[in-house]
Amino acid sequence: MAAHNDLGRWGEEKAAGYLERKGCRILQRNWKYGRRDLDIVAEDNGTLVIVEVKTRRNNLFTEPEEAVDRQKIRSLQIAANAFVKTYRINAPVRFDIVSITGTGDDCAIRHIEDAFTIY
């Protein structure tokens, strides 16, 4: 397995733990819709939260959340729509980004709530 895959999986674990400590209930992880996926699907006070996790060893070039471009946003919207229809969700939907920089216990976690909206 490639090192970046291990880092990504580790980041998703960190993000899930962080969200649970904030009171979110994790509903799904790595939910697949064709070639698209949702890193974390959670519930937060009646709101369905779609969470994209971005992990980097450092931020020398860019912040991790800057990797969520227009194409990625559209992909997340399509997958989220499929999730809502599949599970017949009738709740508000919010898109968050959890950005993790560093490795080990000294990593920095940044949670960007309502990072973008559906157009």
Side-chain angles (χ1 to χ4, degrees), residues 64-114:
E65 63 271 15
E66 291 176 24
V68 182
D69 60 11
R70 194 173 245 358
Q71 183 176 355
K72 182 61 177 178
I73 289 169
R74 184 68 184 135
S75 181
L76 290 169
Q77 291 170 336
I78 291 167
N81 186 50
F83 185 90
V84 166
K85 287 181 178 178
T86 298
Y87 294 101
R88 297 184 174 145
I89 305 290
N90 185 18
V93 178
R94 184 178 85 211
F95 291 89
D96 291 3
I97 299 173
V98 173
S99 166
I100 301 175
T101 306
T103 58
D105 293 333
D106 63 342
C107 66
I109 298 176
R110 181 169 178 227
H111 183 191
I112 304 164
E113 290 188 23
D114 205 15

Side-chain angles (χ1 to χ4, degrees), residues 7 25 38 47 49 54-55 59 72 75 78 105 107 113:
L7 181 64
R25 184 169 60 100
L38 301 175
T47 298
V49 184
K54 290 296 178 190
T55 308
N59 60 354
K72 182 61 177 178
S75 181
I78 291 167
D105 293 333
C107 66
E113 290 188 23

Side-chain angles (χ1 to χ4, degrees), residues 13-26:
E13 284 291 327
K14 281 288 208 190
Y18 167 84
L19 292 167
E20 287 176 326
R21 286 190 300 280
K22 283 191 66 173
C24 292
R25 184 169 60 100
I26 306 298

Side-chain angles (χ1 to χ4, degrees), residues 29-73:
R29 291 186 51 193
N30 295 305
W31 189 81
K32 304 276 188 226
Y33 177 67
R35 68 182 201 286
R36 296 175 168 90
D37 74 306
L38 301 175
D39 292 338
I40 298 174
V41 180
E43 185 271 327
D44 182 24
N45 294 318
T47 298
L48 183 71
V49 184
I50 307 299
V51 182
E52 177 66 12
V53 180
K54 290 296 178 190
T55 308
R56 301 288 185 270
R57 291 189 191 288
N58 58 56
N59 60 354
L60 291 174
F61 300 107
T62 63
E63 295 297 327
E65 63 271 15
E66 291 176 24
V68 182
D69 60 11
R70 194 173 245 358
Q71 183 176 355
K72 182 61 177 178
I73 289 169

